Amino acid sequence: MKLNVQRRALLKKSETKKIRYEGNIPAVLYVQGKAVDTLVVNGPEFTALLRSVLPGRLSTTIFTLVDDKGKQRKAIIKEIQYQPTTYAVVHLDFEELCDDVAVRVKVPIEFVGAADCAGIKLGGVLRQVIRTARVRCLPKDIPALFQVDVRDLKLYDTKRLSDVTIPNTIKLLNDPKQVIVVIAKR
């Protein structure tokens, strides 16, 4: 996803407020081993891109930041700050992706086969204990999501992170014994 950005100097609070008043979003780009780059993101453009991202998958979405000189840099969003009452985005933190530097990412967990699950057919309900798994990998290996098949689960059965098939290029940072889903009685 391409996102147009402009460089900005470290500004005073009044100038940051002016950026927000114009409908844009102040942002920071963290670069491994270098000083922080301060940016201005086009607000309406970012909001439109945000609508196209599937729920829960923002942490694994790679953005291509294009500055006013045409330089392109790949980055992921590390943090979004919202205005508490209007839920408008007020600040963004990006982390630049370098091909040879591993990054930490929260990967969403999605369940398939819930309609065919024997435990649910017997009156149970699928309880998702954790929604994301923290992993460390190279940018080229960032998975969009982890899919877990729950068709074979019966009432009171669980699946753990160790049951998820994770490629060798990805290092799991959570405890592999952690329960991710349970079929519970209503």
Side-chain angles (χ1 to χ4, degrees):
M1 299 185 147
K2 283 196 174 193
L3 187 62
N4 292 317
V5 297
Q6 296 173 346
R7 289 183 174 261
R8 66 179 170 102
L10 289 173
L11 302 174
K12 298 179 195 171
K13 191 172 186 177
S14 62
E15 293 168 338
T16 304
K17 284 183 179 181
K18 182 181 176 196
I19 291 170
R20 291 186 184 117
Y21 182 76
E22 293 169 350
N24 295 322
I25 305 166
V28 173
L29 176 65
Y30 294 101
V31 183
Q32 185 78 21
K34 295 181 183 173
V36 176
D37 287 344
T38 52
L39 307 169
V40 176
V41 176
N42 185 321
E45 182 182 350
F46 180 75
T47 305
L49 282 177
L50 202 57
R51 277 191 232 110
S52 67
V53 175
L54 294 173
R57 297 199 189 166
L58 184 63
S59 61
T60 58
T61 304
I62 298 175
F63 290 91
T64 303
L65 304 178
V66 182
D67 65 5
D68 40 5
K69 296 177 184 169
K71 183 178 177 186
Q72 295 187 0
R73 297 153 88 170
K74 295 201 181 286
I76 55 173
I77 292 182
K78 289 311 261 184
E79 185 180 356
I80 297 181
Q81 294 175 10
Y82 296 97
Q83 206 282 336
T85 55
T86 63
Y87 209 61
V89 177
V90 294
H91 195 272
L92 295 168
D93 287 357
F94 290 101
E95 181 180 355
E96 185 175 18
L97 298 176
C98 300
D99 294 334
D100 56 344
V101 178
V103 292
R104 293 173 184 241
V105 180
K106 288 182 180 178
V107 179
I109 300 171
E110 188 177 275
F111 301 104
V112 294
D116 299 329
C117 179
I120 293 175
K121 287 181 180 179
L122 292 173
V125 64
L126 185 135
R127 301 263 185 217
Q128 187 171 1
V129 179
I130 60 170
R131 301 197 180 282
T132 60
R134 291 180 294 120
V135 300
R136 197 171 116 226
C137 61
L138 293 174
K140 65 179 173 107
D141 298 326
I142 296 175
L145 64 113
F146 291 131
Q147 282 193 338
V148 178
D149 191 3
V150 294
R151 287 185 196 121
D152 59 341
L153 295 181
K154 296 173 184 58
L155 213 52
Y156 303 114
D157 281 355
T158 62
K159 283 230 177 191
R160 299 180 184 276
L161 273 173
S162 57
D163 299 329
V164 178
T165 54
I166 299 175
N168 294 337
T169 57
I170 298 173
K171 182 179 185 328
L172 183 67
L173 299 176
N174 290 66
D175 182 12
K177 296 176 186 172
Q178 192 171 7
V179 174
I180 54 175
V181 65
V182 62
I183 305 298
K185 186 112 174 157
R186 287 186 194 244

